[in-house]
Amino acid sequence: MISGVVLAAGTGSRFGGTKQLAIVDGKPLAQHAIDALIDAGVDELVLVTGHDAVRVASGLTLPPDARVVYNGAFRDGQATSLAAALHALDDESEAAVVLMADQPGVTADVVRALVDRFRGTRKQVVRALYKDGPGPSLLSREIYAEAGHLHGDVGARVLIASHPEWVEEVPIDGPAPRDIDTPEDLES
């Protein structure tokens, strides 16, 4: 079973509010990550909310079997949302593709490429590598416990830096998707 995770708990402080629901190409920002995971065929979907949780969860379209997990410690950084997601995954989860709610450019093709490479290599971390930098990662169940104990505003990049031997990179033809951090990012 391959899990899909969308981290959508942040306050959007640089954006000036709940950016997860800002409209990008006709739909809420976080919906892009949800749709990429669904279109890629993940077996389960977990959405992690925090700031403005009820509004975020109700403003998105989720499959009937998706789980919404509230991260009460969202102010303590991204690592707390990753931990909340990993603890909520099905016991049969072999790996989880982790997407940020503010990167609308990640496609289902990229998610499928991560999953395919994981199935072929069984590496602990499979990371998209765009022409100009890294993208989202898939984390193997083998490292859920370690990833669940990270602290602060970090994600898998700490594990990648600490354990480069764990990492399998998947080259992606094109530039890395931009984060939407400010209203100006949304306009461009």
Side-chain angles (χ1 to χ4, degrees):
M1 167 183 276
I2 302 296
S3 306
V5 169
V6 177
L7 302 181
T11 62
S13 57
R14 288 181 284 170
F15 191 80
T18 308
K19 68 180 176 180
Q20 299 90 324
L21 299 177
I23 301 300
V24 175
D25 294 332
K27 59 185 172 183
L29 181 57
Q31 191 69 49
H32 291 267
I34 292 165
D35 292 350
L37 291 166
I38 292 168
D39 293 348
V42 297
D43 300 302
E44 74 169 333
L45 183 88
V46 173
L47 172 71
V48 181
T49 63
H51 170 76
D52 211 0
V54 172
R55 194 167 148 245
V56 169
S58 64
L60 300 169
T61 303
L62 299 168
D65 57 348
R67 285 192 305 290
V68 177
V69 175
Y70 175 71
N71 173 19
F74 67 92
R75 292 187 195 286
D76 294 334
Q78 184 186 110
T80 63
S81 291
L82 180 59
L86 295 175
H87 287 105
L89 296 179
D90 189 284
D91 290 342
E92 299 299 314
S93 177
E94 299 171 63
V97 177
V98 180
L99 299 185
M100 303 301 296
D102 64 356
Q103 284 188 322
V106 177
T107 65
D109 287 341
V110 169
V111 173
R112 278 190 291 273
L114 295 175
V115 172
D116 290 347
R117 185 65 59 91
F118 169 73
R119 287 187 169 137
T121 66
R122 305 310 268 191
K123 291 293 275 191
Q124 292 94 334
V125 178
V126 180
R127 177 174 66 172
L129 185 61
Y130 292 87
K131 289 192 177 288
D132 58 351
S137 296
L138 172 149
L139 307 178
S140 163
R141 174 174 211 80
E142 184 179 337
I143 63 166
Y144 284 178
E146 189 163 346
H149 288 98
L150 295 172
H151 297 287
D153 200 23
V154 298
R157 67 182 175 266
V158 169
L159 293 176
I160 291 167
S162 301
H163 300 282
E165 72 279 6
W166 286 359
V167 181
E168 175 77 16
E169 293 183 330
V170 177
I172 305 295
D173 188 27
R178 293 189 49 210
D179 291 356
I180 304 294
D181 290 325
T182 67
E184 292 76 27
D185 293 338
L186 191 62
E187 291 170 15
S188 64

